[in-house]
């Protein structure tokens, strides 16, 4: 059969509310034109994030009931520890309540003011945690990764020569570690090849710099390696993931993505001295090292979910849903990042709305138009999220103006996608009517979550 079906059937449903266009306009105005500030109930198809929004399997729900809520050394912890160790092979396993908690412990322990942390592309919370510790988060993405129209595999690869230059410029002593984000969320959800992981590690090893993997979507990345990289097509996703982690010295993880859980994360490493530092902060911030801010039932759910994410049939279906949307948008001439990412389709807002300059936030215009047209909630990954403001208040736009449609795992069906295509098509037809936005309020760090926008004059 050529048709790829969902490798599950639905056992529980959750109603979707559809409010009118007028109600959506009022809701958006009430949210200061920032979709992060909307009530979720007012969103018909919520593609704000694939993080923590997935549907759990029957096995996960059953595991949840086995949660051992003992403070220390619970049975649930043992299962979590074993699952994470099987996949990552790391000596020290530290649970955390989500990815950014792991990142904050990593940054606080290892980053000193003036340090530089290179990555293929830092995600916003990773960048913010590094900057909060006084360090500089530098993106060293391969040139292919910035060409949104180029349909090539592994556009999440790091620029290995760029990494060499970065080390030569800043000096080894100012680089406590280097990160690789798999898949590269900020750059279109593009995967990183095993070859690149190996080459990055080879360069780092020569300079004695540790490699830390931001592993949020490690299973989706493993699937791309199996599909697109020579020598992997007969391998299990588990063995590919294990090989990837074998090149790393540490990893941060948000189990809200490829842990198929609604909450959770971890920080793992091999170095005993690092682990001691991490553990101390973990106890201070998250909790005792055998629960790390999670309930026993969460640990159970993650121990199951990590392996479900590595199920080949699940990844085939997952990729088919993203490809289904992507190919239909391409057929309509709608500019998206090619190829589609592992967890999302990224619309190219700069090409969608060429009449709006970067610092008038075309991504916000597009996100808000999608909401008003069909109650679809997307997210801007452009100058609001990644633009830089210097000490003199001068704003530099981000290299790309993208709008991400991120897909919760195992949640929406094909007819939801057909509806979504219709909404995007309608916004595309009426795109010349979308106007520039201005920021009227913004906090200094992570402004995109809470800032207020002023819409174009009517
Ligand atoms: N790293 C990457 C690559 C991420 O995508 C995220 C979260 C994090 C770290 C932080 O994990 O949310 O558990 O604290 N990304 C979500 C998103 C929020 O919508 O892409 P967290």
């Amino acid at each position: 059969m050529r048709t790829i079906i969902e490798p599950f059937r639905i056992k529980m449903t959750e109603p979707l509310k559809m409010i009118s266009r007028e109600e959506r306009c009022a809701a958006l105005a009430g949210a200061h034109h920032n979709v992060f500030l909307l009530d979720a109930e007012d969103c018909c198809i919520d593609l704000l994030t694939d993080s923590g929004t997935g549907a759990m399997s029957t096995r996960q729900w059953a595991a949840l009931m086995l949660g051992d809520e003992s403070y220390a050394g619970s049975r649930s912890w043992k299962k979590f520890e074993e699952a994470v160790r099987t996949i990552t092979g790391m000596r020290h396993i530290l649970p955390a309540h989500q990815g950014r908690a792991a990142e904050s412990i990593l940054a606080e322990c290892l980053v000193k003011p003036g340090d530089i942390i290179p990555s293929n592309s830092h995600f916003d919370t990773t960048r913010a945690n590094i900057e909060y510790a006084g360090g500089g988060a530098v993106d060293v993405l391969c040139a292919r990764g910035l060409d949104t129209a180029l349909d090539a595999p592994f556009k999440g690869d790091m620029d290995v020569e760029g990494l060499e230059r970065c080390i030569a410029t800043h000096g080894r002593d100012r680089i406590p570690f280097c990160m690789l984000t798999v898949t590269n969320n900020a750059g279109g959800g593009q995967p990183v090849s095993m070859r690149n992981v190996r080459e990055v590690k080879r360069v780092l090893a020569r300079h004695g710099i540790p490699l830390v993997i931001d592993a949020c979507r490690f299973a989706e990345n493993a699937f791309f390696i199996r599909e697109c990289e020579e020598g992997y097509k007969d391998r299990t996703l588990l063995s590919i993931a294990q090989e990837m982690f074998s090149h790393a010295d540490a990893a941060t993880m948000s189990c809200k993505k490829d842990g198929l859980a609604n909450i959770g994360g971890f920080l793992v490493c091999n170095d005993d001295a690092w682990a001691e530092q991490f553990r101390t902060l973990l106890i201070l911030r998250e909790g005792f090292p055998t629960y790390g801010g999670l309930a026993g039932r969460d640990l159970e759910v993650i121990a199951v979910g990590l392996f479900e994410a590595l199920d080949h049939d699940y990844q085939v279906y997952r990729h088919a849903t993203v490809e289904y949307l992507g190919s239909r948008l391409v057929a309509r001439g709608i500019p998206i990042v090619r190829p589609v990412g592992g967890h999302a389709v990224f619309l190219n807002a700069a090409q969608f709305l060429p009449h709006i300059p970067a610092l008038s936030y075309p991504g916000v215009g597009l996100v808000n138009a999608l909401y008003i047209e069909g109650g679809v909630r997307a997210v801007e990954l452009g100058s609001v999220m990644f633009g830089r403001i210097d000490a003199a208040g001068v704003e530099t736009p981000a290299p790309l103006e993208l709008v991400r449609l991120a897909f919760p795992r195992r949640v929406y069906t094909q007819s939801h996608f057909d509806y979504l295509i219709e909404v995007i098509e309608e916004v595309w037809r009426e795109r010349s009517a979308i106007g520039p936005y201005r920021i009227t309020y913004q906090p200094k760090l992570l402004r995109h979550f809470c800032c207020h926008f002023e819409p174009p004059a009517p």
Side-chain angles (χ1 to χ4, degrees):
M1 292 300 152
R2 273 178 295 116
T3 305
I4 296 168
I5 60 169
E6 286 85 354
F8 52 82
R9 54 185 178 175
I10 296 166
K11 200 168 194 161
M12 195 188 287
T13 65
E14 190 179 355
L16 286 181
K17 199 172 82 174
M18 179 79 93
I19 59 175
S20 69
R21 177 182 281 264
E22 289 67 37
E23 287 170 313
R24 288 197 292 270
C25 287
L28 195 57
H32 304 282
H33 305 273
N34 181 351
V35 293
F36 273 107
L37 304 178
L38 285 169
D39 286 348
E41 239 197 352
D42 292 336
C43 303
C44 172
I45 307 276
D46 200 347
L47 307 180
L48 186 67
T49 180
D50 63 321
S51 181
T53 50
M56 293 207 297
S57 66
T58 46
R59 285 188 54 232
Q60 285 178 295
W61 281 108
L64 184 137
M65 296 305 290
L66 299 173
D68 172 355
E69 306 302 342
S70 306
Y71 189 90
S74 71
R75 272 192 318 276
S76 304
W77 155 249
K78 294 282 175 202
K79 292 183 204 167
F80 176 94
E81 185 187 30
E82 193 190 330
V84 177
R85 183 162 293 126
T86 301
I87 294 167
T88 66
M90 297 274 175
R91 194 158 40 236
H92 301 286
I93 315 282
L94 304 173
H97 82 275
Q98 63 181 90
R100 69 198 69 184
E103 291 161 9
S104 99
I105 291 169
L106 178 79
E108 192 168 338
C109 290
L110 302 181
V111 179
K112 296 186 303 299
D115 281 351
I116 294 293
I117 314 296
S119 172
N120 48 349
S121 304
H122 292 277
F123 191 62
D124 58 352
T125 56
T126 325
R127 173 179 297 282
N129 271 305
I130 290 166
E131 291 176 353
Y132 196 71
V138 179
D139 293 343
V140 192
L141 184 62
C142 66
R144 284 170 295 132
L146 289 173
D147 181 350
T148 59
L150 178 71
D151 200 340
F154 301 116
K155 286 166 65 179
D157 281 356
M158 190 176 233
D159 172 3
V160 179
E161 283 165 23
L163 175 63
E164 296 262 25
R165 280 197 300 277
C166 177
I167 299 169
T169 308
H170 299 287
R172 184 265 164 266
D173 291 344
R174 285 181 59 200
I175 306 180
F177 59 90
C178 168
M179 292 194 85
L180 261 183
T181 312
V182 303
T183 57
N184 187 24
N185 187 10
Q190 302 294 319
V192 178
S193 64
M194 193 71 84
R195 181 196 162 115
N196 191 246
V197 177
R198 265 196 307 268
E199 285 179 355
V200 166
K201 178 62 188 177
R202 185 175 46 75
V203 169
L204 294 175
R206 229 180 33 241
H207 296 277
I209 299 171
L211 172 63
V212 179
I213 291 186
D214 176 340
C216 294
R217 299 175 181 86
F218 76 98
E220 286 169 6
N221 202 78
F223 178 72
F224 278 109
I225 289 174
R226 190 179 190 274
E227 291 298 293
C228 307
E229 193 164 347
E230 218 180 299
Y232 288 93
K233 74 174 189 319
D234 297 322
R235 295 268 301 271
T236 62
L237 299 184
L238 173 61
S239 80
I240 295 172
Q242 287 166 330
E243 182 180 333
M244 191 178 72
F245 284 113
S246 76
H247 297 295
D249 300 280
T252 56
M253 172 73 186
S254 167
C255 297
K256 301 171 75 173
K257 285 86 169 173
D258 277 348
L260 287 170
N262 300 122
I263 197 70
F266 57 75
L267 174 60
V268 293
C269 69
N270 281 326
D271 185 83
D272 296 341
W274 275 17
E276 191 178 319
Q277 275 180 282
F278 295 163
R279 205 173 291 118
T280 305
L281 258 193
L282 184 82
I283 297 172
L284 198 63
R285 299 273 158 73
E286 294 286 288
F288 191 72
T290 67
Y291 74 87
L294 294 168
R297 55 182 172 270
D298 299 324
L299 296 167
E300 293 274 350
V301 157
I302 294 165
V304 175
L306 287 168
F307 288 104
E308 288 187 353
L310 287 166
D311 177 72
H312 185 252
D313 286 347
Y314 160 72
Q315 285 295 346
V316 168
Y317 139 77
R318 170 94 174 136
H319 190 70
T321 58
V322 186
E323 192 61 51
Y324 180 81
L325 175 65
S327 60
R328 277 147 187 84
L329 297 181
V330 168
R332 287 158 175 79
I334 296 171
I336 66 165
V337 176
R338 291 299 293 162
V340 292
H343 65 299
V345 167
F346 290 69
L347 302 171
N348 187 329
Q351 290 170 6
F352 204 111
L353 304 172
H355 58 286
I356 302 183
L359 293 180
S360 297
Y361 312 122
V364 174
L366 182 49
V367 165
N368 289 352
L370 291 169
Y371 178 70
I372 290 176
E373 186 59 37
V376 171
R377 177 155 69 166
V379 67
E380 189 253 23
L381 271 80
S383 290
V384 178
M385 192 182 280
F386 294 115
R388 320 293 305 153
I389 301 176
D390 68 16
V394 177
E395 194 168 344
T396 310
L400 297 172
E401 299 298 331
L402 304 178
V403 164
R404 187 185 72 176
L405 306 161
F407 305 119
R409 292 168 179 77
R410 308 187 288 209
V411 168
Y412 292 113
T413 65
Q414 191 163 327
S415 68
H416 292 116
F417 279 83
D418 289 333
Y419 171 83
L420 179 62
I421 292 163
E422 239 181 277
V423 171
I424 299 170
E425 209 176 359
E426 192 52 36
V427 171
W428 174 243
R429 233 190 323 270
E430 300 293 327
R431 63 191 180 280
S432 61
I434 298 172
Y437 276 81
R438 213 168 62 79
I439 293 179
T440 54
Y441 158 76
Q442 57 182 320
K444 278 208 175 69
L445 203 63
L446 295 169
R447 63 174 175 171
H448 51 288
F449 289 121
C450 304
C451 66
H452 297 173
F453 297 104
E454 187 179 82

